[in-house]
Amino acid sequence: MIKSPHPYGQYAEQCAGLQAPLACLNLDLLEQNAQEVLRRAGGKPVRIATKSIRSLEVLRYVSRLSPRFQGLMCYSPWEAAALAQAGFDDVLLGYPTMDAAALSELAKYSVRAHHVTLMADGLEQLQLAETIGRQEGACFAICLDVDMSSSLYGIHFGVRRSPLRTVEETLRLAEYIRRSPSLRLRGVMGYEAQMAGVADRVPGATMMNTIVRHLKRRSGKDIQERRSRIVQALSAEGHELAFVNGGGTGSLGFTAADASVTEVTAGSAFFNPALFDHYAGLRLYPAASFALPVVRIPKQGIYTCFGGGYVASGKAGKDKYPRPIWPECGILLPNEGAGEVQTPVQYPEAGSGVSLQTGDWIWFRHAKAGELCERFRELHVVKGGVRIGTWSTYRGEGWCFG
Ligand SMILES: Cc1ncc(COP(=O)(O)O)c(C=O)c1O
């Protein structure tokens, strides 16, 4: 194995004797990232986005780092039930569900005051929750998801999620909830994906960065104005909100500065996958990585690893590939990318000084955060330069929530 002062060279030493492919989590870097999240969130509480972590032990660890980490935002109703069962309080389902069986399961956890909150943006989701609530004798807490995308210069800047845009539409659903004995309004979410999930400091893309930053500035005004108008209107109609949620890793500072927001969400920041290297003002460290073993050397300077085709979701593009990071200077082949079973990594013939053998490892970062844990049963955890154990991922728990 290569000896090096570089952190990944050290990981290789710390993980010596283990079998690759393996995933590694550096807790010192994760803690620094957690501090950056808290700093950027101002004084506001931070809800942890489980989709970007997908490991119970990591969720527990992050939750204990500060009392300002309050509550989880999960992505599936079955996951919400599993997390409530595992002892987590204040679990917000970040996305709507039409799964009647899952709602029946969740009814068990909706009896207690703040256990699980459902997300809704339309009548059909509320009616289903109401029916199940009536059957199960439960009263579901509801969060209304308000669309925060902007229409600028004929461009839809944002994501296609909630149809709920106006004060009137939101009040109508809030009134429906008020009249139902099986539902109660607990919060509002206005997630500004175009601020939180669009990079604006991409190397070599000066023109695009300028355009994106301009769009973000314009959209920012629209978001703050619309979100606060909706929150004020709900309050004026006598709806008491326990929280107004917004944001994500890429928008923490912006979202926290919005007076109408009471809490921000962050998930990706903790692992800091490759896509989050390119946001102005974010100071995060790559806490999660994975190693693949070289199993073939088809040509001098090209090392073919086992595994690696862990391409991230979202609009397909080169930025969604895993990024080889150690030894440095490795690139994926344009014609092969990251393969289903085999991933060749090329090093420049001269200059890189890299000479690997079969059995050596190449380290990578995933482009996104939580998707890494869908590929590995456990994370090898390093702290203070020492491997302190292995923590199970959702996959290792036998959990698969889609
Ligand atoms: C509703 C919602 N909130 C917050 C986030 C932010 O998550 P992260 O911090 O992992 O980017 C997301 C990400 O997609 C989301 O869908």
Side-chain angles (χ1 to χ4, degrees), residues 49 51-52 73 94-95 161 189 191 247-249 265-268 276:
K51 73 165 188 66
S52 307
M73 176 185 286
Y95 312 86
R161 293 192 186 178
M189 179 178 78
Y191 172 54
T249 294
T265 300
S268 302
F276 283 88

Side-chain angles (χ1 to χ4, degrees), residues 250-305:
S251 76
L252 286 171
F254 165 81
T255 312
D258 183 338
S260 66
V261 170
T262 63
E263 60 169 45
V264 295
T265 300
S268 302
F270 300 102
F271 288 176
N272 185 33
L275 277 175
F276 283 88
D277 287 351
H278 309 310
Y279 284 77
L282 261 188
R283 275 204 315 271
L284 299 169
Y285 301 91
S289 51
F290 62 94
L292 302 179
V294 173
V295 289
R296 306 169 142 176
I297 304 178
K299 179 176 182 289
Q300 202 188 355
I302 298 184
Y303 304 98
T304 301
C305 299

Side-chain angles (χ1 to χ4, degrees), residues 39-68:
R39 191 182 68 76
R40 291 188 71 81
K44 292 191 175 167
V46 178
R47 192 177 282 280
I48 303 165
T50 66
K51 73 165 188 66
S52 307
I53 293 184
R54 304 190 193 211
S55 159
L56 262 182
E57 279 162 295
V58 180
L59 291 173
R60 286 199 181 107
Y61 189 84
V62 175
S63 303
R64 287 185 197 125
L65 286 176
S66 161
R68 277 179 50 215

Side-chain angles (χ1 to χ4, degrees), residues 80-92:
L83 291 170
Q85 174 75 36
F88 283 97
D89 210 6
D90 194 0
V91 179
L92 170 65

Side-chain angles (χ1 to χ4, degrees), residues 73 119 143-149 162 164 187-194 223 227 230-231 243-248 251 254-255 258 261 263:
M73 176 185 286
M119 191 63 69
C143 175
L144 290 177
D145 180 354
V146 183
D147 177 55
M148 285 290 127
S149 57
S162 172
L164 215 51
V188 165
M189 179 178 78
Y191 172 54
E192 58 277 67
Q194 68 275 32
I223 292 163
R227 199 162 38 198
I230 287 172
V231 171
F243 63 84
V244 177
N245 177 284
S251 76
F254 165 81
T255 312
D258 183 338
V261 170
E263 60 169 45

Side-chain angles (χ1 to χ4, degrees), residues 1 97 100 114 126 149 169 181 204 208 232 241 250 267 311 344 362 388:
M1 212 52 67
T97 182
H114 297 311
L126 292 178
S149 57
E169 289 161 346
M208 193 44 122
Q232 277 167 19
L241 299 175
V311 177
I362 296 181
I388 59 166

